[in-house]
Amino acid sequence: MQAWRDLQPFDGRLAMTWRIALLCALVTGVAMAYHIPEAAISCYLVIFLMKPDAVMNCLLGVGLIGLASFVVLLMIPVINLSIDSPAIRLAIMFFASYVFLFLSSTTPLGEQAAIVGLIIAFIMTLVTDVPVGQIGDQGLLAAWKMACMPMALMVLFNLLLGTPSHTHVRNRIVDRLRAAADALETPENHDRLDELLAEGNDASLQQMLLVKLLHLVPKAQASWLNGAVETSYRIALTAQAPSDTISPQRRAALAGRLRDAAERIAARARPEAPTAELPAESRAERTILEALGKLSQADGGGNPKPVPVPPLVADAFSSPKHQRYALKTSIAAVLCYLIYTAIDWDGIHTALITCYVAALGTTGETVRKLTLRIVGCLVGAAMGVAALLFVMPHLTSVGGLMALVFTAVFIAAWVSSGNERISYAGVQIALAFLLTTLNGFGPSFEFSQAGDRILGILLGIFVIYVLFTQFWPTSIVSDIRVRLGKVVDALGSLAERTPDARMADVTASADVLKTLEETTNLLSMAYFEPRRHRVSNDQLRRLQAIRQDLLGLYSEIRFRSQMPAQVSTKLARLAEELANEQPAIAPAVSHA
Amino acid sequence: MASSLVSSTMSMAPSVPLFGSFFPSWLISLFAAVIFTVVLRGVFVVTGFDDILRWRVPMYMSMALALTYLISLLFFGR
């Protein structure tokens, strides 16, 4: 079963899980000791933002503290202006979330911007509760503490106990070499290699950019790691060569060499240059031996740079999808706010928070995430109620509460540190659990509050579902088509190069493999779209087949020195098919 | 209520008025020390001293802490 497979341990999962759980326990302790309200949201920020890479976490934490402080300062005059008028407050809430959600959709800020939008909206709702100037300021301070305390702890925690970027990059290089060795020995067993290849190089190169900028390791080591990222990727790519291109005994010898190199790199040393006892038999073998030679050089075999991230996506203003996304989410948030103030039931204010974290670009994505959310929410609520019933009565201190939070977040973080297919369920388990158990500043026994919080989450989920499926539903299929079209173009230009250049290429291949992997993911999401927006299963199967064809073509283009003549005609035919199906799809999406 | 307010004022750490509010002196010292440490690290990196250090994170943290006490002692007299 898919879900069970997604729960299996993998390298680094336990490391990530205990760190998140321990940090959440610390955040809870600090929030309880210093009476910082909404400890659940503070913990939630940690679970949501913490990544395996300590350097990224530190920068993210510092960035968010800066951003939150700036916003809170900005809010002081805004609150003074709007303190008397609920209508102005509502308008500010709406516009602020619109702007920040738009930024989260179009700039590399991403989720950070959405969180700032959430903070602003949250402050505006607090002002409603306490319409006295001085208490308004205190609410502002509380919101600032709520966001900055967990971030400050996250920075400190990661400085002391985190795994730095360069260790991650080194592990990645070792992983690639080992997976390549495995794939060479047993050509039919290459799942791990495919997985590593689909990640591409950009993430590791970005990490190395930071390592170099902050001078986290000596210069010589940094430049070797940076070069080795690309060289190890080339080795991994070449290890995919079809089984008939390298003879079996050669494969075993190559695999042995790769393992030796991996051992040395894992021990923080440079591998030795391979001594050429025998001339290489095939081009694939020669490429791997050359790359191994490059790994033994001081620069690791090159000086690759990550593809720069533009400050604004290309279609930020030309495509309406970003604005629609921001608009839909803002409307959902304001709607939730209006609903719970209109029926005067403040206990379900978690609906507003849910809107910001549950919204996603396309319908399939949103619906799948909502399914995960509902499941996670119910699991978390069940855990929370069980804790209230059986554990809370025995707790007398904050320390016991911290232990409880550690245990529950450990379970949730185990799920959330998994892949994208299940990670949102983990985040939601944690949120539902924390919201039900962390009320006030110590162990609590409030059942009615727990129920309210869960109802709030479900209300938020429901509102988001209605808005995202009824207004401008964005089908994922057009996105898939665009991506497959890009792969066809990339393969076309790859096919025009000389055989040796094709074999040595890294950038284009990484792009192709990464995009094809994303397409599989997107295709699996297409089945979550409501039936009347979804394209027919035949068309989805056809897209799947096109994807498979492209993967086969890629292998042909890369590894054959004499490309079969039908490759280019086949590419042209696929390009035509992708372009032609466009009009057949459009009405199915727009008439909804 | 009033008595508790008074006693809390009495036991408060020495503070410095800044931006129309009172900041405790240790916080200012810590802030200055962190900035100092970052500047010093820049110097170490340029001179190549950083490359031969071991246990760098604890080392820089202790440095920041030591500088905090030093600043607190020199400028606030405690």
Side-chain angles (χ1 to χ4, degrees):
Chain A
M1 213 177 114
Q2 182 74 53
W4 180 246
R5 248 180 292 143
D6 288 340
L7 286 176
Q8 295 306 308
F10 57 78
D11 240 11
R13 189 165 195 172
L14 181 69
M16 180 75 186
T17 308
W18 74 257
R19 284 189 173 90
I20 293 181
L22 186 59
L23 183 53
C24 277
L26 288 175
V27 166
T28 312
V30 172
M32 297 293 148
Y34 290 93
H35 284 218
I36 297 169
E38 302 283 354
I41 296 182
S42 299
C43 287
Y44 171 75
L45 286 182
V46 169
I47 298 167
F48 193 56
L49 290 176
M50 186 122 139
K51 305 274 180 303
D53 182 350
V55 178
M56 286 303 236
N57 288 336
C58 289
L59 290 179
L60 204 68
V62 171
L64 203 64
I65 289 176
L67 217 56
S69 309
F70 176 71
V71 163
V72 164
L73 281 180
L74 206 71
M75 291 302 282
I76 295 174
V78 172
I79 286 186
N80 285 339
L81 200 79
S82 65
I83 198 97
D84 298 322
S85 157
I88 293 182
R89 272 205 303 274
L90 206 60
I92 291 172
M93 200 187 225
F94 179 79
F95 276 109
S97 35
Y98 180 83
V99 169
F100 280 101
L101 287 167
F102 183 72
L103 288 179
S104 86
S105 172
T106 54
T107 63
L109 281 175
E111 281 156 352
Q112 287 186 72
I115 287 178
V116 171
L118 169 66
I119 294 175
I120 295 181
F122 191 71
I123 292 175
M124 296 316 281
T125 63
L126 282 181
V127 176
T128 322
D129 298 339
V130 276
V132 184
Q134 197 198 350
I135 308 179
D137 281 356
Q138 280 176 9
L140 213 54
L141 187 63
W144 182 80
K145 282 185 193 161
M146 181 190 90
C148 292
M149 182 271 289
M151 290 299 109
L153 278 180
M154 187 165 100
V155 171
L156 208 61
F157 186 90
N158 275 293
L159 275 177
L160 290 173
L161 290 172
T163 317
S165 302
H166 42 95
T167 312
H168 281 292
V169 171
R170 189 178 287 278
N171 291 344
R172 181 63 72 238
I173 293 169
V174 172
D175 271 0
R176 281 176 183 170
L177 294 183
R178 290 202 175 127
D182 288 344
L184 279 173
E185 275 175 350
T186 47
E188 61 280 356
N189 176 20
H190 52 78
D191 287 352
R192 177 71 189 138
L193 186 69
D194 291 352
E195 227 171 86
L196 284 171
L197 284 172
E199 282 172 6
N201 259 336
D202 263 2
S204 294
L205 290 178
Q206 293 281 7
Q207 285 175 320
M208 282 317 296
L209 206 63
L210 275 180
V211 168
K212 280 194 277 186
L213 193 72
L214 299 175
H215 202 270
L216 297 179
V217 290
K219 216 170 241 139
Q221 204 183 337
S223 75
W224 182 83
L225 278 172
N226 195 41
V229 168
E230 196 183 70
T231 313
S232 65
Y233 195 81
R234 181 172 298 135
I235 291 176
L237 275 174
T238 319
Q240 275 192 319
S243 49
D244 55 339
T245 46
I246 312 177
S247 63
Q249 59 269 40
R250 285 308 187 119
R251 279 174 179 272
L254 274 179
R257 277 192 179 153
L258 288 178
R259 287 229 168 79
D260 287 348
E263 278 323 304
R264 283 191 64 86
I265 295 172
R268 294 171 183 258
R270 249 192 273 153
E272 289 148 9
T275 46
E277 311 105 46
L278 285 166
E281 274 176 2
S282 65
R283 287 189 319 126
E285 192 184 349
R286 196 168 63 235
T287 312
I288 292 182
L289 286 177
E290 269 172 18
L292 270 175
K294 281 185 177 171
L295 276 184
S296 67
Q297 290 167 8
D299 66 351
N303 186 19
K305 295 204 170 44
V307 182
V309 186
L312 206 66
V313 294
D315 60 351
F317 294 103
S318 58
S319 157
K321 70 175 179 201
H322 303 293
Q323 291 175 28
R324 284 177 183 168
Y325 161 76
L327 193 63
K328 280 189 282 194
T329 315
S330 306
I331 289 177
V334 169
L335 210 60
C336 284
Y337 172 68
L338 286 180
I339 290 174
Y340 75 69
T341 35
I343 58 175
D344 201 14
W345 189 6
D346 199 48
I348 59 170
H349 69 260
T350 40
L352 180 90
I353 300 164
T354 306
C355 288
Y356 286 92
V357 283
L360 271 181
T362 60
T363 315
E365 241 176 322
T366 312
V367 173
R368 190 182 65 170
K369 201 165 152 187
L370 291 183
T371 322
L372 285 174
R373 272 184 176 279
I374 294 173
V375 172
C377 176
L378 295 178
V379 171
M383 278 164 55
V385 168
L388 281 182
L389 268 180
F390 303 114
V391 186
M392 277 297 187
H394 305 291
L395 294 184
T396 48
S397 67
V398 171
L401 192 65
M402 284 167 70
L404 176 68
V405 167
F406 178 85
T407 317
V409 172
F410 192 90
I411 298 171
W414 181 269
V415 180
S416 78
S417 59
N419 62 22
E420 234 183 82
R421 277 192 293 272
I422 57 165
S423 74
Y424 283 106
V427 172
Q428 194 62 47
I429 291 175
L431 187 64
F433 175 85
L434 295 167
L435 282 173
T436 46
T437 50
L438 297 183
N439 293 305
F441 304 111
S444 83
F445 311 96
E446 296 264 355
F447 269 101
S448 61
Q449 279 206 21
D452 286 0
R453 299 294 159 87
I454 302 305
L455 279 179
I457 294 175
L458 293 176
L459 173 69
I461 290 174
F462 175 72
V463 170
I464 283 278
Y465 176 82
V466 169
L467 276 167
F468 274 73
T469 50
Q470 296 308 311
F471 298 94
W472 304 303
T474 320
S475 177
I476 216 162
V477 171
S478 53
D479 197 17
I480 297 175
R481 229 169 267 282
V482 171
R483 277 168 209 252
L484 286 177
K486 273 191 197 145
V487 172
V488 171
D489 291 346
L491 284 180
S493 61
L494 187 62
E496 282 164 13
R497 299 196 213 161
T498 61
D500 282 330
R502 292 204 299 267
M503 194 64 131
D505 165 78
V506 167
T507 327
S509 304
D511 226 29
V512 166
L513 290 175
K514 204 171 155 189
T515 315
L516 285 178
E517 174 65 23
E518 284 164 359
T519 333
T520 335
N521 217 342
L522 294 177
L523 271 170
S524 75
M525 262 184 247
Y527 292 96
F528 281 90
E529 295 184 343
R531 189 141 299 161
R532 63 206 155 78
H533 306 153
R534 199 196 302 165
V535 297
S536 69
N537 283 351
D538 277 348
Q539 274 171 317
L540 287 181
R541 263 195 292 276
R542 186 64 209 129
L543 284 172
Q544 187 79 49
I546 292 180
R547 186 193 161 271
Q548 216 52 48
D549 282 355
L550 285 173
L551 203 57
L553 280 175
Y554 160 74
S555 175
E556 297 263 312
I557 291 174
R558 188 179 169 94
F559 295 109
R560 304 283 169 206
S561 52
Q562 286 299 314
M563 241 192 303
Q566 71 263 32
V567 164
S568 54
T569 52
K570 212 168 171 188
L571 268 181
R573 196 172 51 72
L574 287 178
E576 198 179 337
E577 189 175 350
L578 282 171
N580 274 346
E581 274 191 33
Q582 206 80 31
I585 292 302
V589 177
S590 62
H591 74 70
Chain B
M1 177 70 194
S3 66
S4 76
L5 253 178
V6 169
S7 66
S8 74
T9 333
M10 301 293 277
S11 67
M12 229 157 30
S15 54
V16 180
L18 268 183
F19 311 116
S21 180
F22 290 95
F23 281 76
S25 65
W26 65 266
L27 195 62
I28 299 170
S29 307
L30 180 66
F31 193 66
V34 167
I35 291 177
F36 251 125
T37 313
V38 170
V39 171
L40 273 177
R41 172 151 204 267
V43 174
F44 287 176
V45 167
V46 171
T47 54
F49 181 58
D50 186 81
D51 287 356
I52 55 170
L53 284 177
R54 306 201 62 176
W55 296 96
R56 286 180 302 170
V57 171
M59 167 5 241
Y60 283 114
M61 277 188 162
S62 327
M63 197 158 102
L65 213 58
L67 282 172
T68 309
Y69 290 127
L70 195 67
I71 294 168
S72 181
L73 193 67
L74 287 181
F75 292 91
F76 300 101
R78 52 177 281 148

